[in-house]
Amino acid sequence: MGVQSSLTALDDRLGVARGLRRNIRKLFPDHWSFLLGEIALYSLVTLILTGTFLTFWFTPTMGEIVYDGPYQPLRGVSMSQAYASTLDISFEVRGGLLVRQMHHWAALVFVAAIMAHLLRVFFNGAFRKPRELNWMIGVGMLVLAIAEGFTGYSLPDDLLSGTGLRIAQGIVLSIPVAGTYLSALVFGGGFPGDIIISRLYPVHILLIPGLLLALVTAHLMLVWVQKHTQQHGLHRAEDNIVGTPVHPSFAAKSIAFLLFTLAVIAGLATFAQINPVWLYGPYTPANTSSFAQPDWYIGFLEGTLRLMPSLETNVAGHTISWNVLVPAVIFPLLFFTVLAAVPYLYRRFTGDREPHHLADRARDVPTRTGLGVAGITLFGVAWASGAQDAIARYFNLNLFDLVWFFRVALFAAPLLALFVARRVCLGLQLSDHELLDHGVETGVIERAPTGGYYELTTPPRPEDRAKIEYDGRYAVEHDGEVARRPREPARQRSSDSGREH
């Protein structure tokens, strides 16, 4: 009774009960693709928890010491304190190796989930009005996640991460006029210097995580206010929501999914070794590793660097290294700028300025779907070319032939993917057209009085019909011609449109 009285007194002064009751009854649509965003969120939670654990033992300094730890092959080797503390976390801190690998796996899953979530939003058209700002926030989160992953990947100061930092320094140097000054500013002089780890550390644990948390908060607030997009289906319309309430259904499923995500990441960390820095050794500028590959989300940058022909220009005493500037600076800037501007480019070329709360099916917008598949293919070719040396060795291929193959594929494969994806979408539209016009095949054959045979069909289920028909019509596009066919009377529409169901 005392607790109830205290809560009542608190509500009398803050007035939160009414708003809380309204919000816990808010509905969220149910669809498997919406879990992609939750995977990203729960991976971020895992990163924060495991990262907090690691900060207690990691030493972010490049001061030299002689290793005298339990890993016998490196005893007596001179190394930085950052690398030595990473070895100590792996071999001496109880549960340290598990947590370290969980942190690394969670970072990979985090970036992958953001990418998959952005692709779902793109193919469903959920970036359109009124969600343009949320799309740009998502792209910003992707860029920050890649930067966060790279800074964390560089902190152990092992031979592999040091090679990545060397490449990063070369990219900075390629910036005309300002590159030399920026490199000296970042590294505190010549590469590698003795302060880069101590500078990356606060960026990794404070600056970028703070920005990410701010963007995640803004993203969730916008989703809450604007409501979630929902897939086409029975009783679903632009002005209603069909789903489950936050309490208890959605909250219970979210908690279970959080635990499931943590379990999967912990399972990966237990059974799949990742980033065994003790095998690489400490970083020294004179050494490098065979098949030195970055984490997968940086692979596209590695690939474009390998594909660009050697090309330099001297202008007013300054050397412009196009072979680094174009693939590592101009291409990523252009790629992410176009990605962030997708909602406005789409509105400019289609003239669609209406608000949308129903998600498109990918097949219903074949050109947009084809462009999305072309973008994935472009990224995939660049990513695969980053491992061309490993591919050449393991498949016994000529490295120079492989380089030219990827150079041609970088331009030809996206065009081919656009054509194929668009034709597949048109074929699926025709399949929908056939389903609505002729029904579902039953496998039952009957003989007509005239002597011929025909198969009995049944009307499609209301749920299947509702996925195809929406907004009072359905479209079938074939060879550039779009045929609009009227929908049967509006028994599919919710009689309570305008309210949440």
Side-chain angles (χ1 to χ4, degrees):
M1 188 65 182
V3 175
Q4 184 176 353
S5 300
S6 299
L7 292 176
T8 301
L10 185 64
D11 183 57
D12 289 341
R13 288 154 180 80
L14 300 179
V16 297
R18 182 179 299 177
L20 182 62
R21 281 195 297 268
R22 182 178 68 252
N23 283 302
I24 65 175
R25 290 198 298 265
K26 188 175 181 66
L27 302 185
F28 276 84
D30 243 346
H31 194 267
W32 68 266
S33 63
F34 299 148
L35 297 177
L36 297 172
E38 293 189 47
I39 293 175
L41 177 62
Y42 301 147
S43 300
L44 179 60
V45 171
T46 307
L47 283 169
I48 293 172
L49 294 176
T50 55
T52 302
F53 177 90
L54 295 175
T55 57
F56 290 113
W57 286 277
F58 181 72
T59 305
T61 177
M62 298 178 71
E64 291 287 327
I65 63 169
V66 176
Y67 181 70
D68 191 29
Y71 187 63
Q72 187 67 35
L74 289 177
R75 279 192 175 181
V77 175
S78 179
M79 61 183 64
S80 68
Q81 293 183 48
Y83 183 67
S85 65
T86 305
L87 294 178
D88 290 342
I89 291 172
S90 302
F91 297 120
E92 294 193 83
V93 176
R94 181 168 296 181
L97 181 58
L98 175 65
V99 175
R100 211 186 117 245
Q101 296 204 148
M102 283 185 66
H103 191 70
H104 202 120
W105 273 115
L108 301 185
V109 173
F110 180 53
V111 181
I114 292 177
M115 286 188 175
H117 184 56
L118 280 172
L119 288 175
R120 196 280 301 175
V121 172
F122 178 83
F123 287 122
N124 283 165
F127 58 83
R128 296 171 295 177
K129 184 180 179 180
R131 297 176 178 83
E132 302 96 332
L133 179 59
N134 235 357
W135 169 266
M136 297 180 69
I137 288 175
V139 174
M141 289 173 58
L142 174 60
V143 174
L144 287 174
I146 292 174
E148 175 76 344
F150 180 75
T151 56
Y153 167 86
S154 303
L155 287 179
D157 199 32
D158 60 284
L159 185 57
L160 186 60
S161 65
T163 302
L165 275 177
R166 183 62 165 175
I167 295 172
Q169 190 235 7
I171 294 171
V172 173
L173 286 174
S174 72
I175 301 173
V177 182
T180 304
Y181 303 101
L182 288 173
S183 175
L185 178 65
V186 171
F187 291 93
F191 180 87
D194 56 4
I195 62 171
I196 184 62
I197 299 300
S198 58
R199 286 187 172 180
L200 288 177
Y201 187 66
V203 171
H204 180 72
I205 70 168
L206 292 176
L207 180 60
I208 299 179
L211 294 173
L212 275 171
L213 289 174
L215 290 183
V216 168
T217 302
H219 175 76
L220 294 177
M221 288 175 64
L222 285 173
V223 169
W224 193 272
V225 171
Q226 295 173 345
K227 76 180 182 179
H228 212 304
T229 54
Q230 58 183 344
Q231 303 292 327
H232 291 286
L234 198 61
H235 303 310
R236 291 174 171 84
E238 291 281 3
D239 50 5
N240 73 352
I241 299 175
V242 178
T244 56
V246 172
H247 178 77
S249 304
F250 184 79
K253 286 190 285 188
S254 292
I255 293 171
F257 199 59
L258 166 62
L259 298 176
F260 179 78
T261 304
L262 285 170
V264 170
I265 293 174
L268 287 170
T270 303
F271 299 107
Q273 178 177 268
I274 191 168
N275 200 25
V277 294
W278 54 90
L279 298 181
Y280 308 142
Y283 178 69
T284 55
N287 295 334
T288 189
S289 304
S290 298
F291 304 140
Q293 308 295 331
D295 281 338
W296 73 269
Y297 48 83
I298 300 292
F300 79 99
L301 192 62
E302 174 98 359
T304 53
L305 278 169
R306 295 188 182 206
L307 293 182
M308 184 70 182
S310 179
L311 183 62
E312 292 183 351
T313 304
N314 289 313
V315 179
H318 297 281
T319 299
I320 301 177
S321 300
W322 298 106
N323 55 318
V324 180
L325 182 66
V326 171
V329 179
I330 296 177
F331 173 75
L333 284 175
L334 184 62
F335 182 85
F336 286 109
T337 300
V338 171
L339 190 63
V342 159
Y344 306 100
L345 294 173
Y346 184 81
R347 185 171 64 190
R348 171 68 177 82
F349 287 108
T350 64
D352 184 0
R353 299 177 181 273
E354 297 297 320
H356 296 275
H357 301 291
L358 282 176
D360 288 333
R361 296 189 311 163
R363 69 182 67 180
D364 293 332
V365 279
T367 301
R368 189 178 75 204
T369 300
L371 290 172
V373 174
I376 295 173
T377 305
L378 176 66
F379 182 91
V381 172
W383 172 80
S385 63
Q388 57 189 229
D389 53 341
I391 295 173
R393 176 174 177 178
Y394 287 121
F395 293 95
N396 197 25
L397 300 173
N398 183 281
L399 178 62
F400 299 101
D401 292 341
L402 199 61
V403 170
W404 276 104
F405 169 79
F406 279 118
R407 284 175 177 172
V408 174
L410 190 68
F411 297 95
L415 296 176
L416 178 62
L418 169 62
F419 173 78
V420 171
R422 192 171 183 277
R423 299 307 302 179
V424 169
C425 289
L426 295 177
L428 291 172
Q429 285 188 11
L430 291 175
S431 176
D432 290 340
H433 180 263
E434 187 76 13
L435 177 66
L436 293 181
D437 282 354
H438 301 288
V440 180
E441 297 176 354
T442 63
V444 178
I445 306 298
E446 288 194 353
R447 185 174 183 179
T450 56
Y453 293 89
Y454 63 93
E455 182 179 14
L456 294 180
T457 60
T458 59
R461 297 182 307 165
E463 294 83 359
D464 295 332
R465 180 181 289 273
K467 291 178 182 179
I468 302 172
E469 298 177 340
Y470 58 93
D471 294 339
R473 57 188 178 179
Y474 69 91
V476 177
E477 183 177 347
H478 183 61
D479 293 332
E481 298 294 328
V482 180
R484 297 288 182 183
R485 303 176 68 91
R487 192 174 71 175
E488 293 183 0
R491 65 176 183 273
Q492 310 296 342
R493 295 187 66 85
S494 169
S495 60
D496 299 317
S497 62
R499 298 182 299 172
E500 295 183 351
H501 292 271

